Amino acid sequence: MVQAIGIIGAGQMGNGIAHVAAQSGYNVVMVDMNPASLEKALKTIDKNMARQVEKGKLSEDDKATALARITTTTAMKDVASCDLVIEAATENEEVKKKIFRELDETLPANAMLASNTSSISITRLAAVTTRPEQFIGMHFMNPVPMMKLVEIIRGLATSEETYQRVVEVAERMGKTVATSEDVPGFIVNRLLLPMLNEAAYALQDGVADVKSLDTAMMLGAGHPMGPLTLADFIGLDTCVAIMRVLHSELGDSKYRPCPLLVKFVDAGWLGKKTGKGFYDYSDPANPQPYR
Ligand code: NAI
């Protein structure tokens, strides 16, 4: 049974995965090459757990126990005692391949490797290791402590045993699993991003204004957030990057990024994180459509 989990990368996703893993009883070793990221991750986890305590979802004692299960380090070799290592480092294929080569050399033969990548082929990452049958995709959603889904992605060589063991880990973390083939975008991004891209096309084509498009999908399709608001939340640069991956890897013109979306990115209007996208967030409580 998996008892200790290594996490590579202590950014937005890494700290969320460490949070739920520690809270679910796993010992966690969190690695980042940047000590400042580790410090920030621990502060974020502490703050997010404090919020759970305030809401009565976690006791002070359980919070302290969970935090005590997390150790941080800048040395990759410190994950040597982990049964499973989940990589959540920067979305760059060469960076990830280097990490997996090093993990493959460091870890005992029975340890499993997982990547949280959004767009890189699991089969291709697995191929740089000597254990592709023990390699799998574990795609958590942001913010990890709040979102129930984990997409599990089997590479071409992933064994049934690895799949079953990793599903068990995800379920012990309180998550629900959806299993995807190793294809660009997996399930969620394959369906969601073309919808957001289409909303940008609808705006470009003058079908309706920003507010009407969002309102229509919220009240007419039951979405909790309109597509343009959601695109701003994800980051318009991220949306374009995912569309480019779908377009180039699937080779179908239906995935071409909307020119208006690309124009927003060219302007540096990347959505909520830059204060401006389809909406202007100068007054965060009352975002205004850009025009
Ligand atoms: P981030 O930029 O917040 O964090 C990445 C961290 O990795 C940084 O702290 C960086 O110092 C560290 N890092 C980079 N190279 C490293 C190395 N060689 N060794 C150790 N640490 C290293 O990125 P974020 O958003 O957390 O994304 C991480 C992964 O999760 C990416 O693969 C991304 O595609 C995926 N993902 C992101 C989602 C999101 O909404 N942000 C959602 C689902 C998956």
Side-chain angles (χ1 to χ4, degrees):
M1 212 173 83
V2 171
Q3 279 168 339
I5 297 181
I7 296 168
I8 314 296
Q12 249 189 117
M13 295 304 289
N15 85 61
I17 300 168
H19 174 146
V20 292
Q23 205 176 324
S24 313
Y26 292 109
N27 292 320
V28 173
V29 181
M30 190 163 49
V31 185
D32 201 294
M33 58 185 191
N34 180 358
S37 293
L38 290 169
E39 215 171 290
K40 189 169 164 214
L42 284 179
K43 280 202 188 116
T44 304
I45 296 170
D46 191 300
K47 191 182 77 202
N48 289 341
M49 285 189 182
R51 205 173 295 146
Q52 289 173 298
V53 171
E54 269 169 38
K55 287 185 184 162
K57 290 185 175 163
L58 185 70
S59 73
E60 276 289 356
D61 276 359
D62 287 347
K63 172 178 178 247
T65 310
L67 286 175
R69 288 194 190 107
I70 305 176
T71 55
T72 62
T73 172
T74 53
M76 196 95 82
K77 64 174 174 29
D78 291 340
V79 297
S81 61
C82 293
D83 319 280
L84 167 67
V85 177
I86 304 171
E87 171 277 320
T90 313
E91 186 75 347
N92 173 304
E93 188 158 337
E94 285 320 306
V95 167
K96 291 188 191 290
K97 283 181 171 168
K98 187 162 175 277
I99 290 171
F100 282 118
R101 280 192 202 102
E102 197 173 335
L103 288 173
D104 194 31
E105 279 169 19
T106 309
L107 288 162
N110 60 349
M112 298 180 291
L113 295 171
S115 178
N116 185 51
T117 180
S118 304
S119 65
I120 302 167
S121 157
I122 296 302
T123 303
R124 219 155 56 217
L125 291 176
V128 304
T129 74
T130 59
R131 60 183 90 195
E133 66 290 345
Q134 285 155 240
F135 195 109
I136 201 158
M138 260 187 120
H139 188 226
F140 290 83
M141 307 291 126
N142 187 22
V144 181
M146 311 276 293
M147 299 291 278
K148 289 291 283 182
L149 184 73
V150 178
E151 290 180 308
I152 304 270
I153 302 104
R154 276 186 283 223
L156 196 57
T158 309
S159 72
E160 181 60 22
E161 188 194 346
T162 300
Y163 172 73
Q164 294 297 347
R165 291 180 74 197
V166 167
V167 167
E168 198 180 302
V169 170
E171 288 179 347
R172 186 165 152 203
M173 287 182 181
K175 303 299 182 197
T176 300
V177 165
T179 305
S180 169
E181 290 303 321
D182 184 20
V183 289
F186 311 133
I187 303 169
V188 173
N189 287 340
R190 171 78 173 261
L191 272 66
L192 178 64
L193 267 297
M195 195 269 284
L196 303 184
N197 196 48
E198 192 59 26
Y201 268 115
L203 185 65
Q204 177 182 289
D205 294 349
V207 172
D209 63 16
V210 172
K211 263 257 153 76
S212 297
L213 286 166
D214 273 353
T215 304
M217 292 308 282
M218 284 165 70
L219 303 184
H223 291 189
M225 209 185 255
L228 299 173
T229 300
L230 181 55
D232 272 359
F233 186 78
I234 293 172
L236 303 187
D237 52 340
T238 304
C239 292
V240 169
I242 296 172
M243 287 311 295
R244 287 201 205 286
V245 169
L246 293 175
H247 192 206
S248 68
E249 298 215 6
L250 296 168
D252 190 325
S253 65
K254 73 180 176 184
Y255 298 114
R256 68 207 182 283
C258 170
L260 181 63
L261 196 55
V262 174
K263 202 191 276 181
F264 272 75
V265 174
D266 289 344
W269 296 6
L270 307 183
K272 208 156 183 235
K273 63 185 168 189
T274 58
K276 198 168 193 178
F278 290 113
Y279 291 86
D280 185 317
Y281 297 88
S282 311
D283 174 7
N286 187 23
Q288 292 299 316
Y290 82 102
R291 69 155 70 128

